[in-house]
Amino acid sequence: AQTVTQSQPEMSVQEAETVTLSCTYDTSESDYYLFWYKQPPSRQMILVIRQEAYKQQNATENRFSVNFQKAAKSFSLKISDSQLGDAAMYFCAYNLDSGTYKYIFGTGTRLKVLA
Amino acid sequence: SAVISQKPSRDICQRGTSLTIQCQVDSQVTMMFWYRQQPGQSLTLIATANQGSEATYESGFVIDKFPISRPNLTFSTLTVSNMSPEDSSIYLCSVVTASYEQYFGPGTRLTVT
């Protein structure tokens, strides 16, 4: 069975600094998708970044980038130039490329941004 | 994109009662899902809401406890039946559009006393 593990329940970062959130997953599949979602206090889940497993190049979206290590089954999120608005719960998620769109989520990392 | 609304946004219910949560999307979507997020925990998929037919439930979730309807391509309901305090959670609707983008609703915070 596929699992997603986020070992950091909470992280803190100074404003304008860089922080990395960790995520590991377990799967026997070769084609899948990985995601980072942000859930602010408003509860609205927002897609931050997405990575296709068949792509070796790490995905980047503005200040957000990932370090995807397929062999190690690791998918970390780096947030550069952290802003107060980045404070939220961050969930790592896995989706098998089967067209079912069913996600498996990690337990989340609460990110605090210190002014 | 898709804009999702859920009603109610929150509710406090007594044990033994039932609550129906509505999910409305502003455009026709391919797939609709219901997730549960228990306090301090991650999201767990309850079921896939199928239009015009019975929902497809994940392991650990049954129709008698969580009946789901999806009468059309923009609307679905989830009922939490015979509630107990363990059902206190946030319930989120999620959709997949025709362009294969996935969105989540704002959630319904349910507290059972």
Side-chain angles (χ1 to χ4, degrees):
Chain A
Q2 295 90 1
T3 59
V4 177
T5 302
Q6 292 178 251
S7 59
Q8 305 154 316
E10 189 171 293
M11 293 282 285
S12 296
V13 62
Q14 287 290 142
E15 199 174 3
E17 296 294 310
T18 296
V19 65
T20 299
L21 308 184
S22 301
C23 173
T24 59
Y25 59 95
D26 188 22
T27 183
S28 58
E29 304 293 335
S30 58
D31 293 326
Y32 50 87
Y33 295 87
L34 295 165
F35 307 83
W36 279 99
Y37 276 90
K38 170 184 177 180
Q39 187 180 43
S42 65
R43 298 200 306 265
Q44 187 79 51
M45 295 280 283
I46 302 166
L47 177 63
V48 175
I49 200 165
R50 149 188 168 141
Q51 174 81 43
E52 291 89 342
Y54 64 86
K55 290 187 177 178
Q56 292 187 338
Q57 186 173 6
N58 290 324
T60 300
E61 287 289 341
N62 301 313
R63 298 182 295 107
F64 299 88
S65 61
V66 299
N67 183 4
F68 174 48
Q69 302 288 330
K70 190 173 184 179
K73 297 180 182 176
S74 171
F75 182 62
S76 61
L77 174 70
K78 185 171 82 171
I79 306 174
S80 305
D81 186 24
S82 296
Q83 301 174 1
L84 295 177
D86 294 333
M89 281 291 287
Y90 285 81
F91 290 97
C92 179
Y94 165 100
N95 176 241
L96 180 62
D97 183 19
S98 64
T100 63
Y101 295 94
K102 295 192 292 187
Y103 286 82
I104 298 171
F105 285 87
T107 51
T109 297
R110 181 173 301 282
L111 178 65
K112 295 184 177 180
V113 181
L114 308 174
Chain B
S1 67
V3 177
I4 304 170
S5 60
Q6 286 186 231
K7 291 182 181 179
S9 59
R10 60 176 61 220
D11 206 342
I12 301 174
C13 302
Q14 292 191 344
R15 68 176 67 202
T17 63
S18 298
L19 176 72
T20 295
I21 302 167
Q22 298 179 1
C23 175
Q24 179 73 56
V25 193
D26 68 342
S27 59
Q28 293 186 349
V29 294
T30 305
M31 305 178 80
M32 296 182 80
F33 305 91
W34 286 98
Y35 283 83
R36 180 175 72 181
Q37 186 177 19
Q38 293 181 300
Q41 298 191 28
S42 186
L43 285 75
T44 302
L45 180 63
I46 298 172
T48 303
N50 299 311
Q51 195 232 336
S53 64
E54 191 172 290
T56 305
Y57 290 85
E58 298 300 306
S59 176
F61 298 96
V62 295
I63 187 172
D64 290 346
K65 176 67 176 178
F66 298 102
I68 288 170
S69 78
R70 188 182 171 192
N72 56 50
L73 294 176
T74 63
F75 184 78
S76 177
T77 66
L78 166 74
T79 299
V80 186
S81 304
N82 188 25
M83 289 184 284
S84 66
E86 292 70 36
D87 294 321
S88 296
S89 289
I90 297 171
Y91 292 86
L92 294 102
C93 173
S94 174
V95 306
V96 174
T97 67
S99 54
Y100 306 109
E101 295 172 325
Q102 185 148 7
Y103 298 89
F104 288 83
T108 295
R109 183 182 295 274
L110 170 62
T111 302
V112 183
T113 60

